[in-house]
Amino acid sequence: MNISLGTLMTAFVVAGCISALFTPVSIRVAHLIGAIDIPKDDRRMHTKAMPRFGGMAIFIGTMSTLCIFAGSNPNIFPVIIGGCLIYALGVADDLLCLNAKVKFILQLLIAILMYYMGLRIKFIANYFGEGNIHFADAACFIVTVIWIVGITNTINLVDGLDGLAAGVGAIAALSIAYVAYIHGTQNGMMIVCLAMLAVAGSCIGFLPFNFYPARTFMGDSGSLFLGFMMATLSVVGPLKRSTMVAVVIPVLVLGIPIFDTAFAILRRLVNRRPIMEADKGHLHHRLMQSGYGQRRAVLMLYGICAIMGMAAVLISRELYKDSFVLAAIAGVYLYVFLTDPNHKMPHIKAVNIAEEERKASKLEKQKEKQDNRE
């Protein structure tokens, strides 16, 4: 598909404008339907009730742009269908606070549907020899489903500070769009470039309302939608011909949320806690505990994401040594974030929210009894 640079820029601007126009609407809708985030524990960084339906603006901005500029493309059609389904799941979660297991099962079903609609990871590059390593049908199914579900949840897990998820989503989408543009004419990736620019534009249009101090949150409807778009667009028909771009690039670009997700799973296993249970061990929590404000913490994480994005671009051009240097720099910063002057190893133990709430409640009751006696 021949897509001009003017069309790409127009799609980016259109997505941003639509998202910016619908964000105030989403704030009003949030109050009408009760999509309000009320801080109930000290894990949350905000202290007052906030509308959490901003994902509506990101969804409308992205989907409207895709329908206008790429609606007839057969490779984009499954992504549009899946995007609508995952957004609906996120809306249900924002309104009903779905059980984590129920939400996970529904994500699996959507990922399976995507597999049967043709979004598949059929091979990986053979870095120890020539050619590619092709998956059998069963392996292809498992890898594809795990990829879609895993990447879908990465943005959701870093959505803890004002503007963090939207900024990370924009940086990741712009990085992948640039890689797709570089290899566009050779591997037919221009449609992926356009779709990623639509995602990035929607995030940037939403960001002024979400950056600290935020007026609204994107909610699970927005974070799940962003993660899903990253996951599925990276395995769209033309893009998956280049395995380096299809798998390695998104992993590098989403290095921060993927690392944070993996570290969270390890931390909860070590603490013998459920994997889906919330705690205060995420990177953004650690930055806040170190004394950085929300604005500075978010900007620091933006910087690392941008470094990883540049490393991904260099890898796509087979500049492996250059990309390794950038990845090493990002690794140093991660080490700094996960440690403090009194510890050499990253903290594995994390604050358990439920346990801390029980302790606080117990102390409060003891204090009330003591006051009554006096």
Side-chain angles (χ1 to χ4, degrees):
M1 184 177 182
N2 187 19
I3 301 175
S4 66
L5 180 60
T7 301
L8 295 175
M9 292 298 99
T10 302
F12 176 73
V13 173
V14 167
C17 291
I18 293 175
S19 179
L21 288 172
F22 274 91
T23 301
V25 176
S26 73
I27 294 174
R28 290 193 287 270
V29 171
H31 287 286
L32 291 175
I33 65 177
I36 305 296
D37 193 311
I38 300 174
K40 298 178 181 178
D41 54 59
D42 60 354
R43 183 177 65 88
R44 288 169 171 80
M45 297 301 170
H46 60 289
T47 57
K48 62 180 182 179
M50 292 284 290
R52 58 173 182 184
F53 206 59
M56 166 186 161
I58 296 175
F59 171 77
I60 293 176
T62 302
M63 287 303 183
S64 298
T65 304
L66 288 181
C67 290
I68 293 170
F69 293 94
S72 61
N73 190 290
N75 294 305
I76 295 298
F77 179 73
V79 177
I80 293 176
I81 297 298
C84 292
L85 292 175
I86 205 73
Y87 173 72
L89 173 60
V91 170
D93 191 33
D94 286 334
L95 297 177
L96 305 174
C97 295
L98 298 177
N99 179 277
K101 292 182 179 178
V102 172
K103 187 163 62 172
F104 179 71
I105 291 172
L106 292 174
Q107 289 176 9
L108 281 176
L109 293 176
I110 294 173
I112 291 171
L113 176 63
M114 294 299 97
Y115 173 84
Y116 283 107
M117 291 187 73
L119 297 181
R120 302 176 182 180
I121 300 176
K122 297 181 179 180
F123 60 85
I124 60 173
N126 181 10
Y127 295 104
F128 302 100
E130 297 181 358
N132 300 313
I133 300 175
H134 290 264
F135 293 125
D137 290 343
C140 175
F141 174 80
I142 293 172
V143 169
T144 302
V145 170
I146 291 176
W147 171 261
I148 292 176
V149 173
I151 299 299
T152 295
N153 285 282
T154 54
I155 302 295
N156 187 36
L157 288 177
V158 298
D159 187 18
L161 296 179
D162 294 355
L164 181 57
V168 169
I171 292 170
L174 285 173
S175 300
I176 297 175
Y178 183 54
V179 171
Y181 180 77
I182 292 173
H183 303 279
T185 55
Q186 180 180 357
N187 296 309
M189 298 182 196
M190 296 303 288
I191 188 63
V192 176
C193 178
L194 186 148
M196 282 297 184
L197 286 175
V199 173
S202 297
C203 289
I204 292 173
F206 170 73
L207 196 54
F209 301 89
N210 183 236
F211 197 72
Y212 182 82
R215 293 168 52 190
T216 182
F217 297 154
M218 68 171 63
D220 280 0
S221 59
S223 58
L224 290 177
F225 174 75
L226 285 179
F228 179 84
M229 295 301 286
M230 301 289 176
T232 53
L233 286 172
S234 64
V235 292
V236 161
L239 181 58
K240 66 188 177 187
R241 294 175 191 168
S242 176
T243 308
M244 178 63 75
V245 178
V247 178
V248 177
I249 300 306
V251 168
L252 274 176
V253 171
L254 294 171
I256 287 292
I258 289 175
F259 173 83
D260 201 26
T261 301
F263 197 75
I265 293 172
L266 173 62
R267 181 174 63 247
R268 290 162 192 172
L269 289 174
V270 170
N271 290 326
R272 297 182 180 179
R273 305 302 305 177
I275 291 177
M276 304 300 289
E277 183 180 73
D279 60 29
K280 293 184 67 176
H282 292 289
L283 280 171
H284 51 271
H285 288 128
R286 295 179 184 277
L287 287 173
M288 294 296 291
Q289 291 165 6
S290 298
Y292 296 101
Q294 285 207 47
R295 190 188 299 269
R296 287 188 296 169
V298 168
L299 290 175
M300 291 166 72
L301 291 174
Y302 282 178
I304 295 185
C305 290
I307 291 173
M308 297 302 290
M310 288 304 301
V313 172
L314 292 175
I315 280 188
S316 75
R317 292 188 163 187
E318 299 183 355
L319 298 173
Y320 302 118
K321 293 180 181 178
D322 307 68
S323 64
F324 176 78
V325 172
L326 290 180
I329 293 172
V332 170
Y333 281 115
L334 285 175
Y335 173 80
V336 172
F337 293 162
L338 291 171
T339 58
D340 63 38
N342 300 316
H343 297 81
K344 292 184 178 181
M345 292 301 292
H347 295 291
I348 297 295
K349 295 290 184 179
V351 176
N352 179 268
I353 300 301
E355 185 177 344
E356 290 298 313
E357 286 181 343
R358 285 194 296 270
K359 288 181 181 179
S361 178
K362 186 177 180 180
L363 289 173
E364 187 176 346
K365 289 179 180 178
Q366 290 176 351
K367 185 177 180 180
E368 288 179 357
K369 289 181 180 178
Q370 185 176 358
D371 292 340
N372 292 334
R373 289 173 183 173
E374 294 175 355

